[in-house]
Every structure is written in C-alpha cells, then in structure tokens.
Amino acid sequence: MKKFFKGYLSALIVLSIGLIGACGTAAKGGSQNPSPKLQPQSVNQPMIKTEYKKTKELTAGKPAPTMDSKVMVKDNMNFVEEQGEGVVHNTEDYNHIVENEFLDALKVPLSTFSIDVDTAAYANVRRFLMSGQMPYADAVRIEELINYFTYDYPEPTGDDPFSFTTELTECPWNPKHKLLLVGLQAKKVSFEKLPPNNLTFLLDVSGSMSDPNKLPLLISAMKLLVNTLRPEDKIAIVVYAGAAGVVLEPTSCSEKDKIVKAMEKLQAGGSTAGGAGIQLAYKLAKENFNKQGNNRVILCTDGDFNVGASSEGELVKMIEEKRKDGIYLTVLGFGMGNYKDSKMEQLADKGNGNYAYIDNLMEAKKVLVTQMGGTLLTIAKDVKIQIEFNPALVKEYRLIGYENRIMAAKDFDDDTKDAGELGAGHTVTVLYEIVMADGKASSADLKYQNVTVKEDAKASKEIGQIKFRYKKPNSDTSKLIVSPMYDKSIMWKDASMNLKWASAVAEWGMLLRDSKFKGDASYTHVIETAKAAIGKDEFGYRKEFIQLVELSKGLTGKK
C-alpha cells in the first residue's frame, strides 16, 4: 500500500511539473513544441553531467544531453528532466586526468611527485555506485582509492616523523611485469597528546546547500567532532552565503551546548560569497592563533562559489598567501549535482591541507573522529618522493595514479615548491608497474648526446634509489632521506597483505577508469584478491570495499 501511494504521489508530481512547464511556455509566447517527456535513467547513463571545457568529453557512461536545455537532476528519482532553453545548471566539475604512461628508465630515470593523503575520490565513487551509477573516469583518482585505507607498515623509530618500506612482486594484471610498493607510516599521536586545537569552521550556508546530504549532514558531522573534542580545544564558526559573517566566536569545547546551539540555528539560503568567507575565516583564525596548538580552517561546502573572488586563480592565490601564517586548511565536500571537486581539491592542496568527501554520517565519523589526528594534525609538510630507477635492471616503469601530483625533477630539491602534507598516523601507499630489463639495452639512441648505463649499475642488485624530502610543520627548510631499493622480488603468493590489498584497489580503479593499462584485470579477480587480503578490518571499511566492487561488477555486467 505504501509503495502504491508513493508511486501515485510521484506520478502527480511529474504531471504537475509537465503542466506548469507547458503553461509557462504558453504564457511567455515561447515555442509551441511540447515539453520533452521524462525519460528513465539507465545505469550506464549518468544522472549528473560533468562540466568540462569544450575541448573535453564526458569520460564515463553515456553523455548527458548536449543540447542547449536546462537539465534538472532529481536526486531521489531515477530520471532527468530536460526543459526550456538555457544552460546546464546542475553540473559536477572534475579535472581531466591523463593517465601516467610507461617511461623509459634510460631516458627518464627520475620519477618525482608529491604525496597525497586525500580520500575524497573514494567516498565520491561510493556515492555514485550507491545511487546505481558508474562514476565518471575523471572522478576516479586511483591514489585516493588506495590511500582511503590504512596499512600495516612499521612504526617510525628514529627522528624522522615517518618510516618507509618497499616490496616487489609479480604484477597480477600483467604477469610479465613487476609491481613495486612504497609505503609510508606517519608517527601516531594519541588523542590525549594532540596539541590544543584552534579550529575555525567555514560553512557554506548558501541556497545550494539546502539538500539533506549537504547542510543537515554537515551539522550532524560537526556534532560528532564537537562531542569528541576537549576543553582546551576551541571552535569558531564563520558562515557565508550572500555575505560572510561570524556566528560563533572562538569558544572552548567545554561549552559544547553553546556550540551545538549555534550550529542548529544555521539555515541555507542565498548565493555563495566563498572568497569573502575564506578571508574572514583566516582573519579570525589568525587573531586567535595558538603558537603551541593546531591552527586550522575547515571549509565545508559543495564548492559552488559564484559571488566574490570565485575564479580558481583568485581563490588559490588567496589560500597560498594565508598558509604562510601557519594556518592549515581542511576541505570537506558535501552533496551532488553541482559538486565542484576540481576547485576543492586545488584549494586543499594549496592550503597545506587535506580533502575528504562526506557522503554519509559514517564517513564523517571516519574523517572527524576515528582518524582525527591525521585529519587535523600535520606532522610533516611538503613531502616529496623521487625515485631514480636503475636502467640496467628496469626497462620501463609506470606510476599508478598521482597524475595531478607529478613534479619536475628539479623541483625535488627546491624548497619553495609546495607538496603534500602528512598527518599523524597517516599511511601513504605508492604503486609502480615495472618492466624489468632484458639486459640488451645499454644506451639510448639519441642524436645529440650519449646516454649509457654505468658498469657498476650493471653489476648492482639495486633496482633504484628512493629519496624523500620533508619539512617540519614550522620549518621552511627540508630534510633529505636517501635509501637504495634492492631487487628482492618475491612470488605473488608470498606478497604481504599490504601489497595484495593495495593492488586489488588499484586494479579496481583501473577497471572503473577503463584504463588502457588494465591488462588482465577483472572485477572477479579484484574480489578474490581483496577477500584473501582483508586482514584486520576493525571498522568494516574493507568489507564495504568488496561490496562496492560487487556493485560495480553488477552495474557493468562484466566479470
């Protein structure tokens, strides 16, 4: 009976929309052509159109309508309405990803990039799948899928804030190749030993944040954090819509009721003056700066800035200036339909921060409670990795993911170049697919220079040398760590749970992107590998991963 009335009500809504649209057209003297009928959404057709520049194409599913029509996305219904002339309003925006290619180790021996601890892509992919859609290829950042999970790497023991480990085995989707893992483990800091938090929440309360999965979810997420924080921690709240304003001055978390009441009064409405809000939040954070504490602005938004300093260039420049004050930035994304992933990822990167997507309350708990130390406390900044491969043993290599973190080789030693931040307890996992050398090539065929392999390199057991650079949070001078990597390849069956799990996630990511490098990858193999390598799964994140792989397998109909 409930289903009947629900269906009946939906039909009435649809009929009403059609009648109103028809009347509106007639009243305005517009086209006499009937309004397009509502069409069901197939699982291969995205409900939400990704906004690209004209030179780019949609990279997953069937493209949304390309005619000059208004596309209204119904979050809770399985159809898209096309009506009237104009522009596409409900759009999501992702940076285009060009996958890393295999590089010749003789001609390009250095691989240089910034670490990435963001996890937004994983939660966003989950949101797509849970709504019955395959994600856009450009929404799938494989390194963020891998780093969504923690790994069992050795704890750091020396003066450096992180340890690292390497492992080499057979590549499961291409048995002729090898798979190299590089894992970092940041020092863990217990909740009791975290420095006092000076947190300034910058909340988007514009009209676009009115949906249940936006501002209401944001308020619930903040309550989880507030109820966890200590009396020595302080919270301030700045909001922005048509204008920016302070709704809560810095307040001790001993006054939790006062903080919660300020949150519960928030309502969505107006346009989005994001630039003004960011300026005000940083101003408030600086005025209440705690020299012995963790000073951070937490931006919560769907990223749809459209008033004030809204161009990515202006916002990025502003964030780059503000980070010099020792105030870090965390970006939490909410919602769907007009979600601006590209803008928020860039702001977090340039603000010495991290970026997560909150699609449900459990994800909010993971980011703001379970992994609070990693989210809020930076223990190393501008962390860079550079690997020099030995061409005597490595013919070609391909970095899996990290496409938007690639750096020029010369930037590794340049302390003015920004890189990623590492939070307390974070793990970072990097995978390379490697083609081992056959012993034949000893020089590059170049016209103007000779590039040859050194004789001692031919005799070496090192497949390469790995370097790390990082700065302490309050320093502008980096420290260098250097270590060789030896050819100690093991069989796949003997590989660690860490490597097997990371490879399963990477394989899934390549399937979601329909990567040309996916080789023999299959959803079935991902599921088998993940089930065998699930290990300790205290919070159920890995079990959920297997369920998401099964969902994507079912949506595509592929093995």
Side-chain angles (χ1 to χ4, degrees), residues 444-487:
D445 184 19
L446 300 176
K447 183 176 182 179
Y448 300 108
Q449 58 182 307
N450 291 320
V451 180
T452 59
V453 180
K454 294 179 179 179
E455 290 302 318
D456 57 349
K458 295 177 182 178
S460 174
K461 296 297 182 181
E462 298 177 8
I463 63 168
Q465 176 178 261
I466 188 167
K467 295 180 180 179
F468 301 91
R469 278 199 181 276
Y470 74 91
K471 300 172 187 172
K472 293 182 179 180
N474 297 321
S475 175
D476 292 325
T477 303
S478 67
K479 181 177 179 181
L480 176 66
I481 302 173
V482 182
S483 178
M485 298 188 301
Y486 294 99
D487 183 10

Side-chain angles (χ1 to χ4, degrees), residues 215-232:
L215 185 58
L217 175 59
L218 163 57
I219 293 171
S220 297
M222 287 184 65
K223 288 179 181 178
L224 289 177
L225 176 62
V226 170
N227 289 328
T228 306
L229 293 175
R230 309 155 300 181
E232 58 264 38

Side-chain angles (χ1 to χ4, degrees), residues 59-60 125 129 134-138 140 145 505-515 518 523 548 552-553 556:
T59 52
V125 165
L129 294 173
M134 291 299 290
Y136 297 110
D138 289 339
V140 182
L145 305 188
V505 180
E507 185 175 348
W508 182 55
M510 288 190 288
L511 288 167
L512 294 178
R513 289 188 53 79
D514 193 23
S515 168
K518 65 182 182 294
Y523 291 104
L548 291 178
S552 54
K553 178 183 178 182
T556 60

Side-chain angles (χ1 to χ4, degrees), residues 28 54 85 136 167 198 270 292 329 393 420 447 490 535:
K28 292 177 183 179
K54 291 183 178 180
E85 295 181 357
Y136 297 110
E167 188 175 354
N198 171 33
Q292 280 73 46
L329 176 69
L393 295 180
K447 183 176 182 179
I490 56 178

